[in-house]
Amino acid sequence: MNSVSKNMKISITLLTALSILSCSSSSSEDSTEEASTATVPTVFSTNYKAGVTLSSDGTSVTMKSNGTPDHVTPYWGVGNSLYEEQTEGQTLTPGSLQSQVFVMTIPINPAAATTKEATSLGPIGMALNGVAIYNDREGGNVPVDANTITTFDRAGAHSGPGGLYHYHFNGDFTSKDDAKLIGWLRDGFPIYGRQDTNGTYPSDLDENGGHTGATTEYPNGIYHYHCSNVNYLNSGFYILKAGSYYGTKGTFTS
C-alpha cells in the first residue's frame, strides 16, 4: 500500500471515530435534557392561571409568579386599570402592592407528616392566580384583630411590607360560599372554599382544617383543606387556613 492510500485510510478511520463520539455526546446531552424535565401534571396546568409559570422534575412541581392579583383592588393604587376604591368603612395599609418574585415547590404526591408543623408568618401557599396565601396571624405572630380586619379589601387581602399583597381570608375572587379550588399549600395539599362538592359544609374537618375525600380535581380522593366556615369576629370574612400543615412543607421563596 502506498503512502497516499495509507493516509486516506487513517483519515477515514479518524472521521468515523469522531462521528461516533459526536453522536454519543449528542445522545448523552439529549438524555440529560429529558431527565431534567417532566410533564407538569394536568391538575396543576389546567387550574393555575397564565400568570403562573409551572415546571416539574417528575416528583415535585414548581410554581413561579410575580405575586400580583388578576382582579381589582384598591391596593393597585389610583391610576391603575385594576384600581377600585376601598369598601366603605375600610381603610388601607400604606403604599400600593408591588411585583414580587415567588417560587413555590411542592410534592406532586403529598403524604401525611408524622409530626405536624405549625404554619408560620409569611407565605404558606399560592392561590391559582399566583398571589400568596397567609394564615390567620399577623406581625408578632398574633391573630388578626378587629383593627387589622379594616385593612382588607373584598378579596380578603391586603398589602404588607414591600408591597407584598396576600390573602388571609376567602373573598370575591377566590372562593366565597362555594366549593371552588383556591390553590395549593406548601405541603402539596389543595385548599378549597367553605363547601364540599355536594354543596354541604363539611362537619368532619380535623384540627388542621381538612379531611380526605373526592373533589372535582381529585375524583379518586385526596386529603384537602377547606377555609373556615366561621364568620371571623363577625366581620363577614372567613379564614383560609389556621393551625398546622397536614403534610411536610415544601419551599416558598419570595
Side-chain angles (χ1 to χ4, degrees):
M1 184 181 294
N2 60 37
S3 60
V4 173
S5 298
K6 286 182 179 179
N7 288 338
M8 288 181 64
K9 186 175 182 180
I10 291 170
S11 296
I12 291 170
T13 302
L14 286 172
L15 285 171
T16 302
L18 286 171
S19 177
I20 292 171
L21 283 172
S22 176
C23 289
S24 174
S25 173
S26 174
S27 211
S28 173
E29 287 173 4
D30 289 344
S31 298
T32 301
E33 175 121 1
E34 288 172 5
S36 66
T37 60
T39 302
V40 174
T42 304
V43 70
F44 299 106
S45 61
T46 58
N47 285 292
Y48 270 100
K49 299 184 179 181
V52 181
T53 302
L54 303 172
S55 61
S56 176
D57 63 4
T59 60
S60 62
V61 61
T62 297
M63 299 89 167
K64 298 180 181 180
S65 82
N66 66 9
T68 62
D70 57 348
H71 55 72
V72 294
T73 171
Y75 285 103
W76 274 114
V78 177
N80 189 287
S81 61
L82 290 176
Y83 169 81
E84 72 171 6
E85 292 186 1
Q86 177 65 304
T87 306
E88 185 177 354
Q90 297 288 93
T91 60
L92 293 173
T93 58
S96 300
L97 65 85
Q98 301 294 323
S99 178
Q100 309 293 321
V101 180
F102 287 162
V103 181
M104 183 174 79
T105 299
I106 61 175
I108 291 174
N109 297 303
T114 303
T115 302
K116 305 297 189 286
E117 179 183 350
T119 57
S120 57
L121 297 178
I124 64 168
M126 186 183 289
L128 299 181
N129 59 0
V131 171
I133 295 173
Y134 277 38
N135 66 10
D136 62 335
R137 308 183 83 78
E138 276 289 305
N141 200 28
V142 297
V144 170
D145 59 23
N147 185 57
T148 304
I149 286 175
T150 66
T151 66
F152 291 101
D153 59 17
R154 62 191 181 96
H158 63 182
S159 188
L164 198 161
Y165 183 83
H166 54 279
Y167 300 124
H168 284 275
F169 301 100
N170 69 338
D172 290 352
F173 309 106
T174 51
S175 168
K176 198 158 187 179
D177 187 11
D178 53 45
K180 289 180 181 178
L181 174 66
I182 295 170
W184 275 263
L185 297 191
R186 286 178 57 176
D187 59 357
F189 289 108
I191 180 169
Y192 290 84
R194 292 159 54 195
Q195 296 182 14
D196 264 327
T197 52
N198 61 7
T200 63
Y201 302 102
S203 58
D204 61 343
L205 300 182
D206 62 21
E207 60 186 359
N208 307 300
H211 64 172
T212 299
T215 70
T216 300
E217 291 74 24
Y218 293 94
N220 294 325
I222 190 174
Y223 180 89
H224 57 279
Y225 302 100
H226 285 275
C227 64
S228 169
N229 196 34
V230 176
N231 185 349
Y232 190 76
L233 297 183
N234 201 35
S235 64
F237 289 116
Y238 296 81
I239 288 289
L240 285 172
K241 172 73 176 102
S244 300
Y245 296 105
Y246 182 71
T248 302
K249 70 179 183 185
T251 61
F252 195 123
T253 60
S254 60

